[in-house]
Amino acid sequence: GNAWWYLGLTYEAEERWEGAADAHKRSLSIKEQTLGPEHEDTNLTALHLAYALDNLGQYAEAIELYRRVPVEQLIERGIAAYDEWDYERAEELLKASLELGSGSNSAAGLSLSDQGNAWWHLGQAYELEERWEEAADAYRRTLSIQEQTLGSEHENTNITAFYLAFALTELG
């Protein structure tokens, strides 16, 4: 498993995503058999496989693998996609992070701060795609969380209120 793992990392460093995905698939298979599906090393390999598949545009398969790892990893990948101007991928990753339904990786287990961060970036992605109704909903959720965690007078809460007002204005 380790030889495949290191080969996958080498391909990642070279941005050779097909090779990375193949190597990580092989490593994951071996680690699932030898260490078990819940082992930390197995999940780290699943994360790297998901990353490779994500870069190949195989988002559905990547999301399923991301679901195996801590949900904060999904948020990080979603924000990274947003920062890369890939709003479709950002939406998929951020929505998946918020909709996970079971286990310790569920959105219910996320801190309110992490949930607010995911909703904020989702709202931003929707806004940049001019999907105003969805942007307004995401900003409402962000605002509710920020009011609980930061207070109604906090600068970030006020910024979110501004973005919500803007989205609602665009709705008409």
Side-chain angles (χ1 to χ4, degrees), residues 83-136:
D83 290 342
E84 295 165 4
W85 301 54
D86 188 347
Y87 305 125
E88 182 179 326
R89 183 168 47 126
E91 177 185 354
E92 289 183 28
L93 291 165
L94 292 167
K95 285 175 95 174
S97 75
L98 291 163
E99 294 173 358
L100 289 174
S102 62
S104 61
N105 290 351
S106 71
L110 274 178
S111 71
L112 280 177
S113 176
D114 283 338
Q115 290 179 50
N117 196 19
W119 282 114
W120 166 260
H121 283 89
L122 193 54
Q124 290 281 283
Y126 287 143
E127 180 178 321
L128 292 167
E129 293 177 327
E130 297 183 4
R131 294 166 58 187
W132 300 112
E133 191 168 323
E134 292 161 301

Side-chain angles (χ1 to χ4, degrees), residues 59-70:
Y59 304 133
E61 191 175 345
I63 293 288
E64 288 307 310
L65 287 165
Y66 279 130
R67 290 176 188 263
R68 293 178 55 168
V69 300

Side-chain angles (χ1 to χ4, degrees), residues 37-101:
E38 302 298 321
H39 192 276
E40 181 180 340
D41 287 348
T42 305
N43 285 333
L44 183 59
T45 302
L47 175 63
H48 279 268
L49 174 55
Y51 181 66
L53 294 171
D54 199 355
N55 278 286
L56 287 169
Q58 298 175 20
Y59 304 133
E61 191 175 345
I63 293 288
E64 288 307 310
L65 287 165
Y66 279 130
R67 290 176 188 263
R68 293 178 55 168
V69 300
V71 73
E72 291 83 2
Q73 299 279 345
L74 281 175
I75 293 172
E76 288 175 19
R77 289 298 309 141
I79 292 170
Y82 168 82
D83 290 342
E84 295 165 4
W85 301 54
D86 188 347
Y87 305 125
E88 182 179 326
R89 183 168 47 126
E91 177 185 354
E92 289 183 28
L93 291 165
L94 292 167
K95 285 175 95 174
S97 75
L98 291 163
E99 294 173 358
L100 289 174

